[in-house]
Amino acid sequence: MMKSLTAGAVALTLSATVMSCSDKTEEKPFDYTVDRFADIEVLRYQVHGFEDLTLNQKLLIYYLTEAAITGRDMLWDQNGKYNLALRNLLEDIYTNYNGDKNDENWKGFETYMKQVWFANGIHHHYSMDKFTPAFSREWMEAQIANLKDAPSAEEVSTLLTVVFDPQFMAKRVNQAEGADLILTSANNLYEGVTQKEVEDYYNALKDTTDLTPVSWGLNTRVTKDENGNIVEQVYKVGGLYSNAITRIVELLNKASEYAENDAQRDVIAKLVDFYTTGSLKAFDDYSIAWADETSSQVDFINGFIESYGDPLGMTGAYESIVNFKDIPASQRTETISGNAQWFEDNSPVDKRFKKENVKGVTAKVITAAILAGDAYPATPIGINLPNANWIRAAHGSKSVTIENITKAYDEASHGNGFNEEFVIDEPTRELLENYLFVTDNLHTDLHECLGHASGRLLPGVDPDALKAHGSTLEEARADLFALYYLADPKLLELGLLDNPDAYKAEYYKYILNGLMTQLMRIEYGKDVEEAHMRNRKLISEWVYEKGKPENVIEYVVRDGKTYIQINDYNRLRELFGELLGEIQRIKSEGDYAAGAALVEKYAVKVDPKIHKEVLDRYSTLNIAPYRGFVNPVYTLVKDNDGNITDVTVSFNEDYVEQMLRYSKQYNTLSK
Ligand code: ZN
């Protein structure tokens, strides 16, 4: 499961002056911004601490990052069957063009090219809608006519339809009920089969009594053979995507030579086994070994992981992230997990709903070394894997915060005008400048390590009793646990914060976001639907209303603009505690009616006046709603005898350069 923080807009511009000590050694400030087009901003991230790793660790990372990027073409093909052919054609036009760069068609084409690269295909990575070209078909035909090595007329004709016919392959993943979800989704995970045929096929395979079920369909494309029977084309060596996977296996084997220990070598061997056999059992064996392996500093995910790209939620999109543990930052999460029982015992929750023996989830803070496949260029800030529920129950999961990514978001937001526009006054802005990055990360840690793990159900209560409102209320419970404790002196005692007022930064941001600024991600006139957004609105609106008699939170209007002012932070903390107690009660007792009433009253409906104001004010800032990253470049250093003496990392590559290089260097499936 991915934490999709930034899928949408910049939740708030945090800006960090408080940062890790390695910053001091840098002479000139790191340039985070790389490119800006359409609704996208491309950034770069730093890889602090890479130089301090051993040569073996660096080489392990080097080969794992090569394996990661090598899977790129698989994702492009999973996202749509014409994506690779179209990418070739577009890149040919792009690199051969020597006309006027101020021409409107060229500018439209350049934006389209950049959008397609960013989305790993022709559909927007978040909305799933097909991109609309801002250049003419005639212009593109003229460019194709100039190419030395153009595709056949038939292929060109198909690709032109792909680009210019808005009805053709309009949406990558269709989730709207009523239609055949497979036939109306343009992804390339199914071909020539209906939703019903696929469901019948898998229902016949599934054994509902199996307590350790494999993830059916995870690594296959479903189609029919010549006799009309449903068949799965398996992604494996010798199967579908064989060229890419064979190369990945070679690189994984190479990486294995530098593994930190036998357990990690075993993880790599099991992944190789999965890629070689395509066996889903092998994938589970790999996932278990991976979840159990916690001693290495370097870690990675690589495989077919998240299934958001499949309307039936079965097939995993190719993804890889290579990373290493940020040891000082991880002490923070270890301290929190190590004190889990104290937090549980002291929470403002009825004793009957507390766990007598709570075990905090072990989470670590990591530094990403490479983002690839479905995690590139748009990327999550946190990951909690594996996805299979029975493995999570039996072996636990690994939860990570990718802090060099959150830091890059944070730093790149500095000076984008958001705080000046929405934060009420200079002292509050200063508070955010100084403490938001720290308290935001701490909030995430408390939410992940303790919040979700706290509390218990009364005997006999169905864990699914809250039904459709379950995830909103669960997120609210975890957020409230974190908010309540952020203001606790215990955090100062544990050395996690150094200022008793620091928590106010997170409180202010949270309320501002929940009452106002998160609405920037919602189209005017629509309700709040996404669970995390509902949760933030529920909490913020509830404490606003309950605090009204004492004027805890106030809307202040100045020069026609609405601002949030918090008058009583102590009382706000108590209100967070009261709501935590109530939501824990709802969960522990399975009180669906009370949960539904909370969600319906506070979390869904948007005040149109404030919504419009937020959208208008936001539109005056040039803040991209979506952001992503280019990767650093790793290079082997060799001595005169050809021995590898080091691996260096550089951050100079720009967006277009990287995309064109990847298409050339990691071209495994096209042409
Ligand atoms: Zn959560």
Side-chain angles (χ1 to χ4, degrees):
M1 277 163 256
M2 284 197 192
K3 208 189 310 159
S4 67
L5 141 110
T6 25
V10 205
L12 221 218
T13 138
L14 345 166
S15 83
T17 43
V18 195
M19 266 323 304
S20 63
C21 21
S22 45
D23 278 10
K24 288 181 211 140
T25 57
E26 260 159 52
E27 278 150 28
K28 67 175 190 207
F30 188 81
D31 185 6
Y32 286 95
T33 56
V34 179
D35 210 334
R36 176 78 173 87
F37 50 90
D39 55 357
I40 302 291
E41 183 176 26
V42 181
L43 307 173
R44 55 169 68 86
Y45 57 92
Q46 306 199 61
V47 189
H48 290 293
F50 182 79
E51 293 79 7
D52 304 332
L53 299 172
T54 65
L55 180 57
N56 260 22
Q57 288 175 317
K58 289 179 187 175
L59 285 165
L60 172 62
I61 289 176
Y62 178 82
Y63 288 109
L64 290 174
T65 60
E66 286 294 307
I69 310 169
T70 296
R72 179 176 183 245
D73 281 4
M74 292 196 280
L75 180 73
W76 281 73
D77 194 68
Q78 288 185 299
N79 283 348
K81 67 174 170 179
Y82 299 111
N83 281 339
L84 287 170
L86 183 64
R87 186 183 79 195
N88 284 339
L89 180 62
L90 295 174
E91 288 179 353
D92 254 11
I93 295 172
Y94 187 90
T95 50
N96 283 295
Y97 183 78
N98 46 25
D100 179 5
K101 297 262 165 113
N102 287 314
D103 179 70
E104 287 306 313
N105 277 305
W106 164 257
K107 287 195 207 159
F109 175 80
E110 190 178 33
T111 299
Y112 183 82
M113 176 86 255
K114 289 182 176 182
Q115 286 179 296
V116 170
W117 277 326
F118 193 88
N120 299 293
I122 56 172
H123 301 93
H124 192 280
H125 72 286
Y126 193 73
S127 75
M128 305 284 170
D129 293 328
K130 196 163 84 163
F131 295 121
T132 307
F135 54 95
S136 74
R137 184 182 175 116
E138 293 67 33
W139 182 89
M140 184 161 164
E141 283 170 337
Q143 303 309 313
I144 295 169
N146 285 334
L147 297 177
K148 283 190 206 78
D149 199 12
S152 69
E154 197 189 338
E155 200 183 332
V156 165
S157 156
T158 306
L159 294 177
L160 288 170
T161 305
V162 169
V163 175
F164 291 102
D165 181 348
Q167 309 303 322
F168 185 67
M169 302 179 88
K171 211 164 177 84
R172 174 151 73 84
V173 186
N174 178 33
Q175 298 278 24
E177 279 168 51
D180 183 307
L181 298 182
I182 288 183
L183 296 181
T184 53
S185 294
N187 64 44
N188 189 26
L189 309 176
Y190 304 93
E191 178 74 27
V193 288
T194 66
Q195 183 179 347
K196 182 160 188 322
E197 286 170 329
V198 173
E199 285 169 348
D200 289 349
Y201 169 80
Y202 282 117
N203 285 337
L205 287 178
K206 279 180 192 167
D207 171 3
T208 50
T209 62
D210 187 353
L211 298 176
T212 60
V214 296
S215 304
W216 290 107
L218 187 76
N219 62 339
T220 62
R221 180 175 186 265
V222 179
T223 184
K224 283 182 185 164
D225 65 14
E226 59 274 23
N227 302 319
N229 300 313
I230 303 270
V231 288
E232 291 182 75
Q233 300 171 322
V234 182
Y235 308 154
K236 63 169 189 167
V237 173
L240 195 56
Y241 303 149
S242 185
N243 277 351
I245 294 172
T246 302
R247 182 83 191 111
I248 289 175
V249 164
E250 288 166 12
L251 289 159
L252 288 173
N253 285 330
K254 194 83 189 138
S256 177
E257 295 171 23
Y258 304 99
E260 291 185 56
N261 50 51
D262 287 343
Q264 186 171 52
R265 202 164 287 118
D266 182 52
V267 170
I268 298 174
K270 288 191 155 75
L271 179 59
V272 166
D273 185 43
F274 165 65
Y275 274 138
T276 309
T277 62
S279 152
L280 292 170
K281 206 85 203 138
F283 185 73
D284 284 350
D285 290 343
Y286 154 69
S287 298
I288 291 166
W290 178 80
D292 287 343
E293 202 286 286
T294 52
S295 59
S296 309
Q297 189 179 0
V298 176
D299 200 359
F300 72 105
I301 55 167
N302 184 309
F304 305 103
I305 312 286
E306 304 289 347
S307 56
Y308 305 110
D310 177 357
L312 303 187
M314 303 181 79
T315 307
Y318 173 76
E319 179 187 348
S320 183
I321 296 178
V322 181
N323 64 79
F324 56 95
K325 188 172 174 181
D326 179 338
I327 292 169
S330 295
Q331 278 169 3
R332 200 177 73 209
T333 52
E334 281 155 19
T335 300
I336 291 170
S337 286
N339 286 278
Q341 194 65 50
W342 184 91
F343 287 99
E344 182 76 356
D345 292 346
N346 289 281
S347 79
V349 159
D350 191 308
K351 251 198 351 257
R352 295 175 300 141
F353 310 141
K354 287 186 184 181
K355 277 197 181 118
E356 275 164 32
N357 282 303
V358 66
K359 200 177 168 305
V361 173
T362 318
K364 60 180 176 177
V365 177
I366 60 166
T367 301
I370 212 86
L371 309 167
D374 203 26
Y376 169 87
T379 197
I381 55 160
I383 308 168
N384 191 329
L385 290 171
N387 278 334
N389 280 320
W390 73 267
I391 299 179
R392 298 170 74 85
H395 297 268
S397 63
K398 279 194 214 171
S399 174
V400 303
T401 307
I402 314 177
E403 205 151 293
N404 61 330
I405 296 298
T406 60
K407 187 193 169 194
Y409 280 133
D410 174 59
E411 299 246 322
S413 301
H414 190 62
N416 68 3
F418 185 100
N419 284 357
E420 289 69 18
E421 180 60 43
F422 288 105
V423 176
I424 185 157
D425 53 27
E426 192 48 40
T428 312
R429 280 195 285 275
E430 210 166 291
L431 183 72
L432 299 186
E433 295 249 337
N434 290 332
Y435 288 105
L436 189 51
F437 184 72
V438 172
T439 52
D440 224 18
N441 281 324
L442 211 43
H443 179 271
T444 305
D445 299 336
L446 290 165
H447 174 117
E448 299 290 342
C449 305
L450 301 180
H452 284 305
S454 78
R456 68 183 189 104
L457 300 182
L458 291 185
V461 170
D462 175 1
D464 294 324
L466 304 177
K467 295 180 221 168
H469 298 308
S471 46
T472 297
L473 292 165
E474 177 58 19
E475 290 310 319
R477 199 175 69 87
D479 262 0
L480 286 162
F481 199 95
L483 288 165
Y484 179 78
Y485 276 118
L486 263 182
D488 200 287
K490 185 75 177 178
L491 298 194
L492 298 164
E493 189 191 303
L494 292 173
L496 297 167
L497 285 175
D498 62 5
N499 181 328
D501 287 331
Y503 76 93
K504 294 178 181 172
E506 179 69 12
Y507 275 28
Y508 187 84
K509 183 216 96 166
Y510 196 93
I511 298 295
L512 171 64
N513 195 34
L515 291 179
M516 289 181 63
T517 49
Q518 71 164 350
L519 297 174
M520 67 179 66
R521 293 162 71 171
I522 296 186
E523 218 178 293
Y524 187 68
K526 296 215 163 140
D527 291 341
V528 180
E529 285 182 27
E530 200 273 327
H532 292 82
M533 293 183 70
R534 281 189 167 184
N535 133 53
R536 290 181 212 118
K537 187 165 179 338
L538 193 169
I539 292 174
S540 305
E541 299 279 1
W542 191 92
V543 294
Y544 170 70
E545 189 189 281
K546 301 295 170 191
K548 231 174 177 173
E550 299 141 286
N551 204 20
V552 174
I553 299 167
E554 192 178 352
Y555 286 94
V556 174
V557 180
R558 282 185 198 151
D559 302 328
K561 290 181 177 178
T562 310
Y563 297 90
I564 299 295
Q565 180 166 301
I566 297 182
N567 295 316
D568 190 343
Y569 281 95
N570 283 327
R571 180 68 188 128
L572 180 55
R573 185 194 183 208
E574 289 171 11
L575 289 167
F576 285 145
E578 282 170 34
L579 184 56
L580 173 58
E582 171 60 4
I583 291 184
Q584 182 62 57
R585 181 198 68 75
I586 289 170
K587 176 162 180 176
S588 292
E589 294 179 350
D591 186 348
Y592 174 79
L598 271 183
V599 173
E600 279 153 24
K601 180 161 181 201
Y602 297 102
V604 182
K605 289 288 170 215
V606 182
D607 173 356
K609 197 167 148 272
I610 205 85
H611 193 183
K612 180 154 192 321
E613 183 186 325
V614 169
L615 292 175
D616 287 348
R617 286 166 68 185
Y618 187 62
S619 70
T620 64
L621 306 169
N622 186 28
I623 299 176
Y626 303 96
R627 302 195 283 186
F629 292 90
V630 293
N631 281 315
V633 182
Y634 296 88
T635 311
L636 297 178
V637 181
K638 292 181 183 168
D639 65 14
N640 290 337
D641 303 325
N643 303 311
I644 300 169
T645 56
D646 200 3
V647 182
T648 57
V649 55
S650 64
F651 306 92
N652 309 323
E653 200 163 34
D654 81 17
Y655 179 63
V656 172
E657 221 180 317
Q658 182 155 97
M659 288 298 173
L660 288 171
R661 181 172 67 85
Y662 279 9
S663 295
K664 226 182 184 156
Q665 197 172 331
Y666 304 97
N667 177 346
T668 54
L669 299 178
S670 67
K671 279 208 253 199

